[in-house]
Amino acid sequence: MNDRTRRAERREPSFERDRGDSRDDFDMRLSADDRPTRGQRPQPRQEEHREVPRRDKRSGGGKGGAGNGGGRRRGRRGRSLLGGLFYWTMVLGLWCAIGLGGLIAYHAAQLPPINQLTVPKRPPNIAILAADGTLLANRGETGGRTVTIGEIPPYLPKAFVAIEDRRFYEHFGIDPIGLSRAVVNNLRGRGGLQGGSTLTQQLAKNLFLTQERTAARKIQEAILALWLERTYSKDQILELYLNRVYFGSGAYGVEAAAQRYFNKSARSVTVAEAAMLAGLVQAPSRLAPNRNPDAAEKRAQLVIAAMADQGLISQSTAKTAIVAPAEAAERVGAGSVNYAADYVMDVLDDFIGAVEGDVTVLTTIDPKLQASAETVLVESLAAQGAKQGVSQGAVVSMTPDGSIRALIGGRDYTKSQFNRATAAKRQPGSAFKPFVYLTALEKGLTPDTIRDDSPVSIKGWQPENNSRTYRGPVTLQTAFAHSLNTIAVKLNQEVTPREVVRTAQRLGISSALQANPSLALGTSEVTPVELTAAYATFANGGQSVLPYVIREVKSLNGKVIYARKGSGFGPVIQPQTLSMINSMFHETMVSGTGSRFNIPGWEVGGKSGTTQDFRDAWFVGFTSKLVTSVWLGNDDNSAMKRVYGSGLPADVWGKYMKAAHAGMQPSPLPGGLWHGAPKTIFDNGAPVAGVRPPANTQTADSDRAWVPPAPQERNFLERLFGG
């Protein structure tokens, strides 16, 4: 049986044609079962195992042929393995890309729409300047004003680029090279843990995100960095960064940091200081030069080396900066200017409302007087405070028109920020008596009027003089100079407490006053600043005074937002009355409780005050140039060890006022001193109605017609013999 017959019997089609076979013969050899049905594709049948006939050498058979076939199979298997690996790598990469894209899209959806995204406004800064234009303090959340790239030395921004992002001007917001380098260094453990964030990414975090370290935040940071790079130029991004980055100690931005650590503007920092600021942002609390100067200096040296390596500064400049490193400036004194700055912030809203942008506030504070008052107060308390049981003090000094030149709200601002000069209400004691005497003078009495220093009792209340003795008949001037309590209480009852309250309010006392018999001894509480302003009326010729500390407010572009224009409500004391009360003040400084603290060559007026159990001690005095009050006491209202107003407070007042008047040309008190009025044999010292005061009592307001004192109620003897 031939091969064709055997294949036919096994119903196997022959795929090898004989020479005489035709296409039709081949098709006919397919059985009916082997033909595909309609719609089906023909499927090759699996061949049954059969012996493969050997090929002779001419057909490529034999041992050599079998070896070549095995090599081709191994090659095909190798190519299949590599192809499969490539395929699955591509599939895995595609799925990773899809997953990463979805993750980015998800976190991007948590951000505001890109077309609505804007850089948030920087919280406004209030730069508070002294009267001479020097900076006293910054207030606001940032601690310093905004600066532009053009304002600061070129090496300052370069320092940040060198240490934080050397490829800043080359990348597109994200730096793959820098990120890879950081990863490699971290894996190798070189130089500590490093981050791959660019300056743009750091800015994005500071502007829009929190400080949490999560993958979600990093993704959003990268998205926002790309938006920043597309929206702003490199210099604009760097400027935003320099004004927003945190430097520790409440300082946001290079201006705030330069002021905080070096007491200077960022416009004036040296290369060494710039390097220290740039190195600080990595870890503000750990690298602050005022806390850890050694670590700050080492970090600054790294910055300087990086700047030199990148050609941002010369090698000679780098050597100079390393040889003379930056040092944090020490804070001067106890930081009392902060009390003045706090007072500025308390009243600023009344003048300009809400602060929308950076502003500059020009104040009336004199830096020299401020420093002098602080030094005298702090040194006096350090020397005598523990011995005399006094822990706190306040000083307010102003010109007679109410311009505050020095304001000390406490012994040490770093330990207590409570402003005792403006917020502490304390009993003024005998320092309140001038309002009683002024009311009596306005009712027709004079400094020569006689009153009896003798025991007094009002509904069981029996005030005494400090000496526990009585002098009998004395003039009002003597009673005032020696602060006799009985005379003040009697006068208060004579003119009525209600009238005394009106007088004090007319002169600027705004605190609530109790119209009672003890008012004469200063039992109603007042603040140092309002008591000083009331005394300023005596020093300026009788004009009302509204104390002020702000002269002008300007925006960052120089636009004037507020400028002071005059103050007060005109005259509140008549010229003759002013002359009389000032002569009484002056007598206190000549022969009374303030006699040890005169200023040579000057007419000086003053009054001491001491409250019950020595809880408060005051001295308030003035010249024609300056009015100053000193208060000493304890915050818990505990008693001091017999501290009188004429003692330690007067000593502080005298030292400060002598230093403040050094080099000034002496001038008399306005209105002149009262030298007495014409008298009759029955006159008790009161001015005769209709008689003008002496010429030397006239002031700048002397062109006003003199108004005689209003009629007053007189006792029986005065009505009988005349007054």
Side-chain angles (χ1 to χ4, degrees):
M1 182 181 297
N2 56 28
D3 292 339
R4 182 176 296 177
T5 304
R6 282 196 296 269
R7 283 196 297 271
E9 288 180 355
R10 288 192 305 220
R11 305 170 70 100
E12 291 182 358
S14 174
F15 291 93
E16 298 181 4
R17 296 184 185 179
D18 294 334
R19 292 180 181 178
D21 288 344
S22 64
R23 178 70 181 176
D24 294 336
D25 294 335
F26 177 76
D27 290 339
M28 289 296 294
R29 288 196 293 271
L30 292 174
S31 66
D33 294 335
D34 295 323
R35 293 175 184 153
T37 59
R38 184 184 300 272
Q40 283 185 327
R41 299 179 63 184
Q43 300 293 327
R45 290 173 58 88
Q46 293 184 352
E47 296 185 8
E48 295 181 4
H49 176 74
R50 64 181 183 277
E51 184 179 353
V52 179
R54 291 179 179 270
R55 297 183 180 180
D56 55 17
K57 293 180 181 180
R58 290 174 298 179
S59 60
K63 187 175 180 180
N68 291 338
R72 284 193 295 270
R73 284 194 295 272
R74 284 194 298 271
R76 284 195 297 270
R77 283 197 299 270
R79 287 193 296 271
S80 298
L81 182 61
L82 291 175
L85 182 63
F86 176 76
Y87 172 78
W88 287 112
T89 300
M90 293 295 293
V91 170
L92 182 61
L94 179 62
W95 279 110
C96 287
I98 293 173
L100 181 61
L103 191 63
I104 292 174
Y106 170 78
H107 290 294
Q110 311 304 312
L111 298 172
I114 291 296
N115 59 351
Q116 299 178 14
L117 201 60
T118 58
V119 171
K121 292 183 64 176
R122 186 176 186 266
N125 178 71
I126 298 93
I128 301 173
L129 308 181
D132 61 2
T134 58
L135 181 69
L136 291 177
N138 283 294
R139 287 293 184 268
E141 296 180 24
T142 57
R145 73 174 185 88
T146 301
V147 293
T148 64
I149 288 288
E151 290 181 81
I152 57 180
Y155 49 75
L156 179 54
K158 288 178 181 178
F160 288 85
V161 172
I163 196 64
E164 290 292 319
D165 189 0
R166 66 175 61 189
R167 287 172 39 81
F168 173 71
Y169 285 99
E170 301 170 19
H171 61 66
F172 51 87
I174 302 171
D175 185 9
I177 297 176
L179 182 61
S180 301
R181 182 174 59 249
V183 170
V184 172
N185 289 337
N186 289 337
L187 291 176
R188 293 180 177 179
R190 293 183 177 178
L193 190 63
Q194 298 183 17
S197 294
T198 64
L199 285 179
T200 313
Q201 287 177 270
Q202 294 179 41
L203 175 62
K205 177 183 66 177
N206 292 334
L207 290 177
F208 304 105
L209 304 173
T210 65
Q211 299 297 317
E212 62 179 345
R213 296 175 177 270
T214 63
R217 198 265 289 166
K218 293 296 291 183
I219 292 172
Q220 291 179 331
E221 178 185 292
I223 296 170
L224 293 168
L226 295 174
W227 175 82
L228 286 170
E229 291 279 348
R230 190 188 70 178
T231 307
Y232 298 96
S233 69
K234 287 289 187 179
D235 283 348
Q236 288 175 324
I237 291 172
L238 189 55
E239 185 175 295
L240 284 170
Y241 175 85
L242 293 174
N243 283 293
R244 303 298 181 101
V245 68
Y246 182 58
F247 290 88
S249 298
Y252 289 84
V254 291
E255 176 67 16
Q259 295 286 358
R260 175 64 183 83
Y261 296 116
F262 305 123
N263 286 342
K264 63 171 65 174
S265 171
R267 293 170 290 182
S268 305
V269 296
T270 64
V271 173
E273 291 166 344
M276 189 166 284
L277 291 176
L280 179 60
V281 298
Q282 183 190 57
S285 59
R286 181 171 58 85
L287 298 174
N290 60 343
R291 297 179 183 177
N292 195 347
D294 292 337
E297 182 179 341
K298 290 179 181 178
R299 177 68 175 170
Q301 290 176 355
L302 292 177
V303 177
I304 294 169
M307 295 174 72
D309 290 343
Q310 298 169 41
L312 301 178
I313 57 174
S314 66
Q315 292 294 336
S316 61
T317 301
K319 290 179 181 178
T320 302
I322 291 176
V323 171
E327 295 182 0
E330 295 183 3
R331 290 200 167 189
V332 179
S336 69
V337 293
N338 289 288
Y339 289 116
D342 288 349
Y343 182 50
V344 169
M345 295 303 297
D346 289 342
V347 301
L348 184 61
D349 286 354
D350 297 336
F351 298 104
I352 65 172
V355 179
E356 299 296 336
D358 287 3
V359 296
T360 299
V361 181
L362 183 64
T363 72
T364 60
I365 298 296
D366 184 322
K368 293 181 179 179
L369 295 182
Q370 180 78 17
S372 175
E374 176 183 338
T375 299
V376 172
L377 176 66
V378 172
E379 289 182 353
S380 296
L381 290 177
Q384 299 292 328
K387 179 180 178 181
Q388 297 191 304
V390 53
S391 60
Q392 280 296 347
V395 179
V396 178
S397 186
M398 64 179 65
T399 57
D401 71 341
S403 170
I404 297 176
R405 308 298 279 167
L407 189 147
I408 314 296
R411 184 175 184 174
D412 190 340
Y413 185 85
T414 61
K415 295 181 179 178
S416 173
Q417 290 78 52
F418 179 60
N419 197 336
R420 296 156 191 83
T422 61
K425 292 192 174 185
R426 309 292 297 225
Q427 292 183 351
S430 295
F432 189 83
K433 289 177 180 177
F435 306 114
V436 178
Y437 281 87
L438 177 62
T439 307
L441 296 176
E442 290 177 337
K443 295 296 184 180
L445 306 186
T446 73
D448 290 339
T449 298
I450 303 297
R451 287 293 182 266
D452 189 23
D453 176 21
S454 59
V456 59
S457 178
I458 303 174
K459 296 182 178 180
W461 178 55
Q462 298 177 334
E464 297 178 324
N465 295 325
N466 179 62
S467 63
R468 306 291 177 87
T469 62
Y470 302 97
R471 301 190 181 197
V474 294
T475 64
L476 296 189
Q477 181 155 298
T478 298
F480 186 95
H482 295 277
S483 199
L484 302 181
N485 290 336
T486 59
I487 302 296
V489 170
K490 291 178 180 180
L491 286 177
N492 183 56
Q493 291 299 101
E494 185 176 334
V495 299
T496 75
R498 187 177 299 275
E499 287 299 315
V500 174
V501 169
R502 290 175 179 173
T503 298
Q505 291 173 339
R506 187 173 80 241
L507 268 65
I509 299 297
S510 57
S511 296
L513 301 175
Q514 303 299 318
N516 54 32
S518 67
L519 175 68
L521 303 185
T523 55
S524 290
E525 297 173 337
V526 297
T527 66
V529 71
E530 65 181 320
L531 187 60
T532 311
Y535 270 64
T537 301
F538 304 124
N540 68 15
Q543 304 292 313
S544 69
V545 171
L546 292 177
Y548 67 97
V549 70
I550 298 176
R551 288 172 50 190
E552 188 177 71
V553 181
K554 289 184 178 181
S555 64
L556 189 61
N557 60 10
K559 179 182 177 182
V560 177
I561 302 174
Y562 165 80
R564 183 173 179 80
K565 297 178 181 178
S567 64
F569 302 102
V572 291
I573 303 177
Q574 291 295 333
Q576 182 193 28
T577 309
L578 177 68
S579 176
M580 290 189 288
I581 191 69
N582 276 355
S583 71
M584 299 169 75
F585 275 120
H586 182 60
E587 186 63 26
T588 302
M589 302 300 295
V590 172
S591 64
T593 57
S595 59
R596 294 186 295 119
F597 309 103
N598 264 302
I599 305 174
W602 291 81
E603 287 185 357
V604 185
K607 188 72 184 73
S608 61
T610 310
T611 63
Q612 189 174 11
D613 297 329
F614 303 98
R615 290 187 172 90
D616 301 276
W618 298 73
F619 195 90
V620 189
F622 56 92
T623 65
S624 59
K625 299 295 184 182
L626 212 57
V627 187
T628 301
S629 68
V630 176
W631 167 85
L632 297 180
N634 296 309
D635 288 338
D636 60 2
N637 207 34
S638 59
M640 296 175 286
K641 297 177 181 178
R642 299 185 65 81
V643 177
Y644 290 93
S646 57
L648 188 57
D651 183 61
V652 172
W653 182 92
K655 290 178 180 177
Y656 165 75
M657 289 290 277
K658 287 177 182 177
H661 286 78
M664 288 187 184
Q665 182 66 34
S667 58
L669 291 172
L673 299 179
W674 189 82
H675 297 291
K679 301 179 181 179
T680 68
I681 59 173
F682 301 107
D683 191 17
N684 65 353
V688 179
V691 177
R692 284 183 68 92
N696 65 349
T697 66
Q698 300 307 298
T699 68
D701 300 311
S702 60
D703 56 329
R704 293 186 175 90
W706 180 73
V707 180
Q712 66 170 343
E713 292 294 327
R714 300 183 180 182
N715 58 35
F716 173 76
L717 292 176
E718 288 174 330
R719 289 198 301 269
L720 180 63
F721 295 102

XYZ file of all heavy atoms in Angstrom, residues 376-377 380 388 394-395 588-589 592-599 604 606-610 617-621 628-632 643-658:
360
model
N 16.916 105.169 84.230
C 16.763 105.702 85.590
C 15.808 104.835 86.403
O 16.082 104.499 87.568
C 16.264 107.161 85.540
C 15.923 107.650 86.946
C 17.314 108.065 84.918
N 14.679 104.452 85.795
C 13.701 103.650 86.524
C 14.267 102.285 86.884
O 14.182 101.842 88.041
C 12.430 103.489 85.687
C 11.344 102.585 86.296
C 10.791 103.210 87.573
C 10.225 102.323 85.299
N 17.066 102.486 89.513
C 16.561 102.855 90.842
C 15.870 101.677 91.504
O 16.050 101.429 92.711
C 15.602 104.044 90.730
O 16.278 105.190 90.252
N 12.983 98.461 99.671
C 11.783 99.227 100.002
C 10.491 98.528 99.592
O 9.413 99.118 99.692
C 11.861 100.607 99.342
C 13.036 101.436 99.859
C 12.966 102.877 99.403
O 12.895 103.163 98.215
N 12.991 103.789 100.365
N 6.254 103.073 86.567
C 5.846 103.598 85.269
C 6.289 105.050 85.173
O 6.300 105.768 86.181
C 4.335 103.490 85.077
N 6.653 105.449 83.946
C 7.053 106.830 83.692
C 6.355 107.299 82.426
O 6.355 106.597 81.411
C 8.579 106.964 83.516
C 8.960 108.416 83.227
C 9.313 106.454 84.748
N 6.001 124.299 96.175
C 6.232 122.905 96.568
C 7.660 122.486 96.251
O 8.306 121.762 97.021
C 5.246 121.979 95.833
O 3.903 122.374 96.132
C 5.449 120.527 96.240
N 8.173 122.976 95.109
C 9.527 122.619 94.695
C 10.590 123.473 95.394
O 11.769 123.122 95.385
C 9.671 122.769 93.176
C 8.688 121.925 92.379
S 8.842 120.148 92.699
C 10.475 119.811 92.059
N 8.709 122.858 99.794
C 7.827 121.772 100.188
C 8.397 120.389 99.914
O 9.610 120.160 99.999
N 7.511 119.453 99.528
C 7.886 118.041 99.418
C 8.812 117.742 98.247
O 9.417 116.669 98.192
C 6.616 117.179 99.284
O 5.856 117.630 98.153
C 5.763 117.271 100.532
N 8.937 118.692 97.301
C 9.813 118.444 96.151
C 11.064 119.286 96.155
O 11.732 119.408 95.120
N 11.405 119.851 97.293
C 12.504 120.833 97.343
C 13.871 120.237 97.017
O 14.789 120.962 96.645
C 12.541 121.492 98.733
O 12.720 120.506 99.741
N 14.038 118.940 97.164
C 15.351 118.335 96.894
C 15.573 118.011 95.419
O 16.640 117.533 95.046
C 15.495 117.037 97.712
C 15.532 117.265 99.216
C 15.830 115.982 99.978
N 14.762 114.990 99.831
C 14.927 113.788 99.293
N 16.116 113.426 98.828
N 13.914 112.954 99.211
N 14.578 118.298 94.581
C 14.669 117.820 93.200
C 14.459 118.933 92.177
O 13.941 118.696 91.088
C 13.639 116.701 92.984
C 13.730 115.624 94.026
C 12.801 115.554 95.057
C 14.773 114.717 94.010
C 12.890 114.577 96.030
C 14.871 113.739 94.982
C 13.938 113.659 96.004
N 14.849 120.145 92.542
C 14.743 121.256 91.598
C 15.738 121.105 90.461
O 16.753 120.405 90.580
C 14.986 122.585 92.322
C 13.683 123.244 92.741
O 12.846 123.515 91.890
N 13.522 123.463 94.041
N 15.448 121.802 89.365
C 16.345 121.822 88.210
C 16.957 123.212 88.152
O 16.236 124.199 87.956
C 15.580 121.512 86.910
C 14.835 120.176 87.039
C 16.528 121.488 85.721
C 13.939 119.860 85.870
N 10.091 125.404 88.221
C 9.574 124.035 88.215
C 8.373 123.960 89.138
O 8.341 124.586 90.204
C 10.652 123.037 88.686
C 10.148 121.612 88.569
C 11.929 123.215 87.876
N 5.565 121.014 90.904
C 5.404 119.578 91.112
C 4.548 119.268 92.307
O 4.238 120.144 93.123
N 4.138 117.988 92.409
C 3.317 117.540 93.535
C 3.547 116.059 93.753
O 3.579 115.278 92.798
C 1.829 117.790 93.259
C 0.947 117.524 94.460
C 1.129 118.615 95.508
C 0.338 118.316 96.760
N 0.966 117.216 97.548
N 3.726 115.693 94.997
C 3.895 114.277 95.343
C 2.553 113.686 95.738
O 1.580 114.404 95.998
C 4.893 114.133 96.494
O 4.411 114.811 97.644
N 2.517 112.359 95.799
C 1.297 111.667 96.217
C 1.626 110.319 96.814
O 2.427 109.561 96.254
N 1.021 110.031 97.991
C 1.220 108.744 98.653
C -0.125 108.258 99.158
O -0.852 109.018 99.809
C 2.186 108.870 99.849
O 3.373 109.561 99.428
C 2.562 107.502 100.393
N 2.867 105.328 95.213
C 3.678 106.526 95.453
C 3.902 107.219 94.114
O 4.311 106.582 93.136
C 5.004 106.156 96.101
N 3.619 108.550 94.078
C 3.687 109.322 92.835
C 4.542 110.569 93.019
O 4.652 111.112 94.119
C 2.293 109.810 92.426
C 1.261 108.780 92.132
C 0.611 107.983 93.032
C 0.715 108.467 90.857
N -0.309 107.199 92.389
C -0.267 107.473 91.050
C 0.948 108.942 89.563
C -1.014 106.944 90.002
C 0.199 108.416 88.518
C -0.753 107.421 88.735
N 5.087 111.020 91.891
C 5.566 112.382 91.804
C 5.304 112.859 90.380
O 5.709 112.212 89.405
C 7.056 112.519 92.129
C 7.440 113.946 92.384
C 7.376 114.474 93.660
C 7.823 114.790 91.345
C 7.695 115.801 93.912
C 8.142 116.113 91.584
C 8.076 116.628 92.870
N 4.598 113.990 90.287
C 4.263 114.581 88.992
C 4.761 116.016 89.008
O 4.450 116.789 89.919
C 2.743 114.560 88.732
C 2.459 114.970 87.287
C 2.151 113.187 89.026
N 5.569 116.385 88.011
C 6.110 117.737 87.962
C 6.319 118.200 86.535
O 6.250 117.407 85.581
N 6.255 115.375 83.460
C 6.605 113.974 83.701
C 5.964 113.482 84.985
O 5.939 114.198 85.991
C 8.133 113.801 83.806
O 8.735 114.251 82.588
C 8.511 112.352 84.052
N 5.460 112.250 84.922
C 4.920 111.609 86.120
C 5.657 110.304 86.355
O 6.051 109.611 85.410
C 3.428 111.329 85.967
O 3.196 110.327 84.989
N 5.845 109.963 87.624
C 6.477 108.704 88.019
C 5.564 108.024 89.026
O 5.160 108.643 90.022
C 7.868 108.939 88.639
C 8.460 107.618 89.133
C 8.804 109.603 87.634
N 5.238 106.761 88.769
C 4.460 105.957 89.721
C 5.268 104.744 90.112
O 5.906 104.105 89.269
C 3.144 105.493 89.100
C 2.481 104.410 89.921
C 1.660 104.586 90.982
C 2.626 102.986 89.749
N 1.274 103.368 91.508
C 1.864 102.371 90.761
C 3.337 102.185 88.868
C 1.775 100.980 90.897
C 3.263 100.795 89.000
C 2.482 100.213 90.007
N 5.236 104.402 91.410
C 5.864 103.189 91.907
C 4.874 102.422 92.763
O 4.047 103.021 93.475
C 7.111 103.511 92.741
C 8.275 104.216 92.033
C 9.414 104.450 93.013
C 8.759 103.417 90.834
N 7.315 103.931 101.358
C 7.770 104.672 100.184
C 6.820 105.844 99.968
O 5.648 105.661 99.650
C 7.807 103.775 98.929
C 8.205 104.601 97.701
C 8.779 102.621 99.131
N 7.328 107.069 100.188
C 6.542 108.283 99.973
C 6.766 108.779 98.542
O 7.807 108.527 97.920
C 6.961 109.379 100.952
C 6.577 109.112 102.388
C 7.468 108.488 103.267
C 5.330 109.493 102.871
C 7.121 108.262 104.580
C 4.976 109.266 104.190
C 5.871 108.643 105.040
O 5.518 108.406 106.342
N 5.790 109.529 98.030
C 5.949 110.139 96.721
C 7.119 111.096 96.665
O 7.757 111.267 95.624
N 7.417 111.720 97.803
C 8.537 112.655 97.869
C 9.873 111.946 98.048
O 10.907 112.603 98.136
C 8.332 113.632 99.038
O 8.189 112.910 100.261
N 9.851 110.609 98.072
C 11.071 109.847 98.245
C 11.575 109.277 96.925
O 12.065 110.003 96.047
N 11.455 107.940 96.758
C 12.002 107.274 95.576
C 11.374 107.760 94.265
O 12.106 107.990 93.285
C 11.855 105.755 95.728
C 12.543 104.901 94.663
C 14.033 105.199 94.592
C 12.309 103.407 94.941
N 10.050 107.950 94.177
C 9.489 108.466 92.920
C 10.037 109.844 92.551
O 10.345 110.108 91.379
C 7.987 108.520 93.193
C 7.754 107.518 94.257
C 8.976 107.578 95.121
N 10.160 110.738 93.550
C 10.705 112.073 93.279
C 12.171 111.990 92.864
O 12.633 112.769 92.022
C 10.560 112.959 94.518
N 12.886 111.020 93.416
C 14.288 110.846 93.041
C 14.401 110.407 91.574
O 15.249 110.913 90.828
C 14.930 109.807 93.965
C 16.411 109.632 93.691
O 17.158 110.605 93.827
O 16.806 108.510 93.318
N 13.546 109.459 91.167
C 13.525 109.032 89.761
C 13.162 110.213 88.871
O 13.794 110.446 87.828
C 12.523 107.873 89.569
C 12.355 107.546 88.081
C 12.971 106.633 90.335
N 12.148 110.963 89.274
C 11.701 112.131 88.489
C 12.836 113.143 88.345
O 13.089 113.650 87.247
C 10.507 112.776 89.189
C 9.931 113.954 88.468
C 8.922 113.943 87.565
C 10.345 115.323 88.604
N 8.670 115.221 87.115
C 9.525 116.079 87.734
C 11.311 115.981 89.360
C 9.659 117.468 87.618
C 11.450 117.356 89.235
C 10.624 118.090 88.363
N 13.521 113.430 89.442
C 14.574 114.439 89.408
C 15.730 114.037 88.506
O 16.239 114.852 87.723
N 16.172 112.789 88.597
C 17.286 112.334 87.758
C 16.923 112.406 86.276
O 17.725 112.842 85.446
C 17.678 110.913 88.140
C 18.348 110.799 89.504
C 18.664 109.342 89.833
C 19.348 109.230 91.198
N 19.602 107.803 91.554
N 15.710 111.960 85.966
C 15.301 111.974 84.559
C 15.153 113.395 84.033
O 15.652 113.724 82.942
C 13.983 111.212 84.390
C 13.311 111.489 83.069
C 13.794 110.928 81.885
C 12.209 112.345 82.983
C 13.198 111.204 80.660
C 11.609 112.622 81.771
C 12.106 112.051 80.614
O 11.513 112.337 79.405
N 14.478 114.256 84.787
C 14.209 115.613 84.308
C 15.498 116.429 84.177
O 15.631 117.248 83.252
C 13.234 116.309 85.243
C 11.808 115.764 85.153
S 10.976 116.173 83.600
C 10.374 117.821 83.947
N 16.446 116.231 85.067
C 17.717 116.949 84.940
C 18.447 116.528 83.671
O 19.015 117.360 82.956
C 18.586 116.694 86.168
C 18.096 117.415 87.421
C 18.949 117.066 88.637
C 18.417 117.766 89.883
N 19.179 117.412 91.112
